[in-house]
């Protein structure tokens, strides 16, 4: 991909031509039906944000035991696929393109939500409570996955990828970040296995690599991205040797010719970021860690990511609060503030589909920008 700091210029991603270098990052918002089927709210939400170069839809579980929280999406039944087809059709009609993130929560789950004992590499529970359909509950001790569980889960990921493509997605993102199941296999403190999937760094990487390989075999590697979060401690994971761990991750992945590698909260000044950029031969999506959500700060962080070698830039909360983020950045218009109280667990359109968009005339002066409701 040609290097540029002009994030509003067109970009290429495998077979796709993107209108800009901006990616809407996957954001769990708990607006699905209880069984994981996308709702009318979600059709509207994603269609509103179709001007993003690429939308990566929120994490969807490939099987029932992988569900993390109530009312998150899934992709393991025909009904799920039909619900997602409504979303992808609406986004495509609005000119957009979508990948779907495949997410298995592992120990980030609870029987009160799923009716099932969570699965994980080892019987090590979350160190904190977890939100369930019955409110916050003490985390459950997960069951260590057997070889049959591992094989079945790999097959579930591949089948979910097939369903996603059938539902109209351009591809899928394998979620190996933020303390979810694949990350639990990578991390020292959550993977205490002594078989071929635990112990040395190479063996801890094996499950994530085999899931990715199975998904690539199912739908084609150019339709598959992988999300990682080096050095993250989200959901209680701990990596003792981030540099060594992700050197092995890249060794297993870079020969697959994947669509992209997506780095969560990637600070371009860190040593591990520079080493990953130098060692990864394909498209790299950077995800800046934003504390200032002003127009100027978002634009500056985006350009800094591209200058540091990222090919595309994933933004979460800026897209959440601004359905027309691309236009606002183009015209240097103010951004809407995020209303955190409506972020998760609350349902409804508030804080989801009611963020205002701008009324933009051709070549407007800055004082000609007026906010209009989008719902």
């Amino acid at each position: 991909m040609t290097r540029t700091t002009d994030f509003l210029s067109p970009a290429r991603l495998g077979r796709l031509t993107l209108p800009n270098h901006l990616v809407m990052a996957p954001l769990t918002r708990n607006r699905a039906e209880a069984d994981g089927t996308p709702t009318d709210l979600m059709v509207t939400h994603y269609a509103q944000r179709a001007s993003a170069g690429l939308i990566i839809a929120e994490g969807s579980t490939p099987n029932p035991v992988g569900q993390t929280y109530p009312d998150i999406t899934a992709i393991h039944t025909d009904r799920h696929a039909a619900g997602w087809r409504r979303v992808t059709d609406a986004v495509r009609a609005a000119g957009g393109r979508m990948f779907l993130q495949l997410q298995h929560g592992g120990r980030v789950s609870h029987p009160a939500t799923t009716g099932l004992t969570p699965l994980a590499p080892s019987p090590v529970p979350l160190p904190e409570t977890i939100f369930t359909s019955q409110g916050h509950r003490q985390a459950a001790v997960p069951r260590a996955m057997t070889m049959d569980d591992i094989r079945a889960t790999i097959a579930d990921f591949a089948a979910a990828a097939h369903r996603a493509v059938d539902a109209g997605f351009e591809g899928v993102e394998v979620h190996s970040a933020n303390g979810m199941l694949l990350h639990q296999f990578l991390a020292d403190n959550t993977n205490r296995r002594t078989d071929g999937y635990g112990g040395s760094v190479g063996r801890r990487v094996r499950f994530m690599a085999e899931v990715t390989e199975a998904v690539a075999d199912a739908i084609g590697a150019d339709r598959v991205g992988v999300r990682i979060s080096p050095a993250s401690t989200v959901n209680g994971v701990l990596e003792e040797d981030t540099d060594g761990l992700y050197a092995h991750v890249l060794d297993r992945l870079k020969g697959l010719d994947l669509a992209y590698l997506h780095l969560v909260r990637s600070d371009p000044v860190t040593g591990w970021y520079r080493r990953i950029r130098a060692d990864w031969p394909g498209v790299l999506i950077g995800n800046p860690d934003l504390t200032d959500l002003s127009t100027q700060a978002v634009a500056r962080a985006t350009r800094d990511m591209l200058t540091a070698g990222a090919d595309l830039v994933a933004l979460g909360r800026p897209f959440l609060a601004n359905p027309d983020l691309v236009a606002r950045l183009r015209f240097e218009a103010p951004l809407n503030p995020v209303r955190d109280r409506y972020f998760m667990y609350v349902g409804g359109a508030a804080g989801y589909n009611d963020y205002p968009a701008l009324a933009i005339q051709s070549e407007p002066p800055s004082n000609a920008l007026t906010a209009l409701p989008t719902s």
Side-chain angles (χ1 to χ4, degrees):
M1 185 175 285
T2 303
R3 295 279 182 252
T4 181
T5 58
D6 180 7
F7 54 80
L8 297 176
S9 65
R12 291 286 302 177
L13 179 65
R15 69 185 73 187
L16 299 178
T17 298
L18 311 183
N20 54 69
H21 286 66
L22 300 177
V23 175
M24 178 177 168
L27 293 165
T28 298
R29 301 301 309 282
N30 306 76
R31 259 67 174 193
E33 294 183 26
D35 75 340
T37 302
T39 59
D40 291 344
L41 283 173
M42 295 172 60
V43 174
T44 300
H45 180 79
Y46 284 112
Q48 287 175 347
R49 289 153 180 81
S51 60
L54 176 70
I55 294 173
I56 305 175
E58 62 206 82
S60 291
T61 58
N63 55 31
V65 76
Q67 182 179 356
T68 51
Y69 311 111
D71 303 325
I72 69 164
T73 61
I75 186 68
H76 53 83
T77 71
D78 290 344
R79 188 168 189 267
H80 298 149
W84 275 120
R85 169 61 77 171
R86 296 174 58 236
V87 175
T88 60
D89 283 350
V91 169
R92 188 168 288 109
R97 297 134 299 275
M98 296 185 78
F99 270 46
L100 177 66
Q101 185 184 80
L102 304 182
Q103 170 190 277
H104 190 302
R107 69 176 187 167
V108 186
S109 184
H110 200 280
T113 298
T114 65
L116 302 167
T117 300
L119 297 179
S122 302
V124 181
L126 274 173
E128 62 232 31
T129 61
I130 183 170
F131 187 79
T132 75
S133 55
Q134 302 170 20
H136 278 277
R137 300 283 295 273
Q138 186 65 41
V141 177
R143 179 170 64 80
M145 293 174 71
T146 65
M147 291 301 298
D148 285 345
D149 292 326
I150 286 173
R151 285 189 288 267
T153 302
I154 292 172
D156 288 342
F157 268 92
H162 261 304
R163 286 189 186 277
V165 172
D166 289 345
F169 288 98
E170 303 288 352
V172 301
E173 176 177 278
V174 176
H175 193 7
S176 187
N178 294 348
M180 296 300 166
L181 178 64
L182 274 62
H183 197 187
Q184 292 162 30
F185 270 87
L186 297 178
D188 306 74
N189 69 325
T190 48
N191 185 345
R192 299 178 182 174
R193 303 176 73 96
T194 57
D195 61 4
Y197 289 91
S200 70
V201 171
R203 292 199 295 269
R204 295 203 311 274
V205 169
R206 179 181 171 187
F207 179 67
M208 180 274 295
E210 290 181 352
V211 167
T212 306
E213 290 162 358
V215 170
D217 286 344
I219 62 172
D222 63 336
R223 291 180 179 270
V224 180
V226 174
R227 195 183 207 208
I228 58 174
S229 55
S232 171
T233 58
V234 173
N235 286 313
V237 295
L238 180 64
E239 304 162 358
E240 292 293 339
D241 178 11
T242 295
D243 289 342
L245 173 61
Y246 288 94
H248 276 78
V249 168
L250 265 62
D251 283 345
R252 286 296 302 263
L253 298 183
K254 62 186 178 183
L256 299 180
D257 199 21
L258 299 174
Y260 63 80
L261 185 69
H262 182 183
L263 296 185
V264 178
R265 293 188 172 179
S266 39
D267 185 342
V269 304
T270 58
W272 61 259
Y273 171 85
R274 293 194 296 268
R275 282 187 284 275
I276 286 175
R277 174 65 282 183
D279 199 25
W280 180 248
V283 171
L284 186 70
I285 300 180
N287 170 225
D289 190 4
L290 296 168
T291 55
D292 182 348
L293 296 181
S294 67
T295 306
Q296 295 75 18
V298 172
R300 182 170 57 252
T302 301
R303 292 191 182 97
D304 287 348
M305 286 297 323
L306 294 173
T307 299
D311 298 292
L312 301 169
V313 180
L315 301 171
R317 288 175 178 244
F319 268 114
L320 165 63
N322 300 276
D324 55 348
L325 177 65
V326 175
R328 288 175 185 263
L329 294 176
R330 184 182 302 278
F331 293 111
E332 300 181 353
L335 301 187
N336 295 319
V338 177
R339 285 174 281 155
D340 284 320
R341 66 174 290 195
Y342 297 108
F343 192 78
M344 293 176 70
Y345 312 138
V346 295
Y352 190 61
N353 290 344
D354 61 345
Y355 283 103
L358 298 170
I360 301 179
Q361 304 166 5
S362 59
E363 300 300 326
S366 59
N367 61 3
L369 299 172
T370 306
L372 292 177
T374 57
S375 56

